[in-house]
Amino acid sequence: MKLKALSIAVAAATLATISTGASAEWTVGGYGKFKYDFGESYDRSSTWEHRRDMRAAGPFFSANVNQVEFSLKKESTYKNGVWANYVLRTEYGNNEGGNGQPFYGSSSGNEGHLETGQLEFKEAYVELGALPSVLPKDGSIWAGRRFLNRQQGLVSKEFWKQSSGVGAGFNLTKSIGLAIVSADPGEGSCDTNGDNDSDSNAKNCNAVNADGTRSTLNSVDFYAYQIEALGGTFDFDLKYSFRANTDELGTVGQNNAKAADDGYGASIMYATTYYGLEGWSVTALTYGKGMASNRGVNFGQWDGGWAEDDSSIFFTSNGVVNATDSIQIGTEVTYWGIDMKDSRNWWTDSVDRLFVGVTPSFKVNENFRVELIGTWARETLGDTGDWGRQDKSTDFFTATLAPVWTVNADYFGRPQVKPYVTYMTSSDDNYHWTSGNDKSNQTVFGVEAEIWF
């Protein structure tokens, strides 16, 4: 039904374009990632949750075995010079959030019944520009659902900045803007009947109060991007978060601390060459408190569980250097420190995560390259014994070897097919990487295919 509705919407928009005399261009883009681990499908806790918690990275650490994304965009310019963009982004097979689980499917009907990661609309918004009588020359105005101003790690692949939800905003210039984005808290499903069976959308447990009001999360964003200085460009973000209808807001964490009803965050990002060498790099520093404790600038429906005195600081620096004509090296150094001493929100006073990733790529010819992925991470908790750990600090190491068949042997060349072997180990003898495995080290084999279009 969703695909039929999409077809009807496209047809209606085409007729509207013809009737108004506008010039229009339709563009279709997308992404596909297809992952197969030999002989066994692994659950989310065995794959993505290691990457989510900054302990590992590489093709194995994804919970999406068949992920497909389509982005449809209509760009129109009208007779009076006004331009309009209509953006619609759909996604299938994303199990990385809430309680999604990946499975290997077959060709029977209704195979996705009661599974997550089905076809969903992720973005749907309209943006208007070239309205000189009501907006600055290069200004624009938009409304709808989107993930605004996203940034992610190069090796970790985790998003550290975005405002994901429904809202509206305007840009004073092409790079300076103000927006408000809202999302009701809760991911996946929850138990509403008290029988320990997840029978309802999680928002019914997290967003709906007893009187029927919604405890919606909101983020007011101010951003100024592409400010040229010091041989590169700077991006600045300021966010103020608040929650609606907080009378029924309870406590969080082991210490039953007051749940946050607001918060604030800020970030500064610097983009330039690869630390003076040929290539590129991005370095960012963020701070967040209260509702904005998730890296300060990473807003979404996941922000409902912080205490008012929780806070975090986040640093990342990543990029790609062109070492020779045939060798490119991607690197990432990321630190995330979370202070929860008043709430013990995650059953510890603090969590400090340090992640280092290196991905050298060796071009053999135009259609074949060899990629190595090495990661080291250290996770430090508030006290020895927290989370059942042997030591206060735990180290994690992974190494992946992957021959890559591709149409373009550049670091970002796609499409590609990439068999891989991954070895993973931990300094904690009790840390188990996959469900059913009772060792702190493990080796897995698989293959990943990716395409961008």
Side-chain angles (χ1 to χ4, degrees):
M1 291 300 294
K2 289 183 177 179
L3 290 177
K4 181 178 179 181
L6 176 59
S7 300
I8 294 173
V10 171
T14 302
L15 292 174
T17 298
I18 296 173
S19 65
T20 57
S23 61
E25 179 180 353
W26 287 91
T27 57
V28 178
Y31 170 74
K33 182 174 72 174
F34 315 103
K35 174 200 169 197
Y36 172 65
D37 294 308
F38 290 134
E40 178 182 357
S41 67
Y42 291 94
D43 62 19
R44 190 186 66 165
S45 65
S46 302
T47 53
W48 169 69
E49 290 186 7
H50 301 296
R51 195 184 86 231
R52 177 200 64 187
D53 295 337
M54 294 174 53
R55 299 169 191 156
F60 174 72
F61 301 100
S62 170
N64 300 334
V65 297
N66 282 285
Q67 181 182 4
V68 181
E69 179 182 292
F70 287 97
S71 179
L72 180 66
K73 182 178 181 179
K74 183 171 80 78
E75 300 177 284
S76 303
T77 302
Y78 296 84
K79 291 181 178 180
N80 58 3
V82 174
W83 58 261
N85 292 333
Y86 172 52
V87 178
L88 181 63
R89 188 189 301 262
T90 64
E91 185 179 53
Y92 171 84
N94 187 352
N95 298 292
E96 296 180 351
N99 56 354
Q101 290 294 351
F103 292 95
Y104 292 165
S106 192
S107 58
S108 57
N110 198 28
E111 63 174 324
H113 182 58
L114 296 181
E115 293 181 18
T116 58
Q118 302 307 302
L119 182 66
E120 298 173 326
F121 290 91
K122 296 296 185 179
E123 286 194 297
Y125 67 92
V126 172
E127 184 177 15
L128 301 177
L131 301 166
S133 60
V134 291
L135 287 174
K137 178 182 177 182
D138 293 325
S140 63
I141 187 169
W142 65 270
R145 175 175 176 171
R146 63 190 303 185
F147 26 77
L148 183 67
N149 299 331
R150 264 187 164 184
Q151 289 287 340
Q152 70 178 136
L154 175 73
V155 181
S156 66
K157 300 294 193 293
E158 280 299 292
F159 292 102
W160 59 267
K161 181 175 77 170
Q162 63 185 309
S163 282
S164 180
V166 179
F170 63 89
N171 294 316
L172 298 174
T173 69
K174 293 180 180 179
S175 57
I176 299 176
L178 181 69
I180 180 169
V181 178
S182 302
D184 289 312
E187 296 179 275
S189 59
C190 67
D191 172 26
T192 57
N193 295 327
D195 57 2
N196 295 318
D197 182 24
S198 295
D199 61 348
S200 180
N201 187 294
K203 290 178 174 53
N204 287 322
C205 298
N206 295 276
V208 181
N209 296 322
D211 62 359
T213 59
R214 308 286 180 85
S215 58
T216 303
L217 311 176
N218 305 276
S219 179
V220 179
D221 300 1
F222 172 77
Y223 49 91
Y225 293 164
Q226 299 295 306
I227 309 300
E228 295 184 1
L230 302 178
T233 60
F234 284 88
D235 290 359
F236 299 91
D237 287 87
L238 294 173
K239 298 191 178 187
Y240 172 69
S241 302
F242 65 96
R243 190 167 186 166
N245 301 309
T246 60
D247 290 345
E248 297 182 24
L249 204 58
T251 61
V252 296
Q254 190 176 12
N255 291 343
N256 293 317
K258 180 182 177 183
D261 56 14
D262 67 357
Y264 58 87
S267 72
I268 178 172
M269 187 180 81
Y270 176 59
T272 185
T273 63
Y274 188 86
Y275 316 111
L277 302 176
E278 181 182 344
W280 61 268
S281 67
V282 169
T283 301
L285 178 67
T286 81
Y287 175 80
K289 186 174 177 61
M291 272 181 57
S293 293
N294 189 335
R295 302 171 178 89
V297 289
N298 188 30
F299 172 81
Q301 62 189 12
W302 46 81
D303 277 342
W306 294 102
E308 62 178 359
D309 291 324
D310 290 345
S311 65
S312 77
I313 187 169
F314 176 84
F315 171 84
T316 187
S317 188
N318 59 80
V320 176
V321 59
N322 300 318
T324 70
D325 290 341
S326 58
I327 300 176
Q328 295 172 289
I329 303 173
T331 62
E332 178 180 344
V333 177
T334 297
Y335 167 79
W336 186 19
I338 313 166
D339 182 359
M340 301 171 287
K341 61 180 178 296
D342 292 328
S343 65
R344 290 184 62 86
N345 200 353
W346 295 357
W347 267 243
T348 186
D349 287 348
S350 61
V351 177
D352 292 279
R353 288 170 170 161
L354 176 62
F355 171 89
V356 179
V358 181
T359 59
S361 173
F362 304 92
K363 179 180 177 181
V364 178
N365 56 48
E366 289 299 321
N367 303 119
F368 184 76
R369 65 186 179 94
V370 176
E371 183 178 81
L372 304 176
I373 306 171
T375 71
W376 169 79
R378 172 167 290 180
E379 185 173 61
T380 302
L381 305 180
D383 294 298
T384 301
D386 286 352
W387 298 1
R389 295 283 175 82
Q390 292 176 323
D391 300 304
K392 186 174 180 179
S393 296
T394 304
D395 292 337
F396 306 89
F397 173 79
T398 72
T400 297
L401 171 64
V404 182
W405 283 263
T406 178
V407 298
N408 176 1
D410 182 77
Y411 187 93
F412 293 104
R414 302 295 189 277
Q416 67 177 23
V417 176
K418 181 167 69 176
Y420 61 85
V421 54
T422 297
Y423 172 77
M424 59 200 87
T425 186
S426 169
S427 64
D428 191 314
D429 294 334
N430 297 322
Y431 190 84
H432 303 151
W433 289 91
T434 63
S435 298
N437 180 59
D438 59 358
K439 298 180 180 180
S440 62
N441 58 77
Q442 189 174 355
T443 301
V444 295
F445 300 86
V447 60
E448 178 190 72
E450 281 187 300
I451 184 172
W452 300 330
F453 60 91

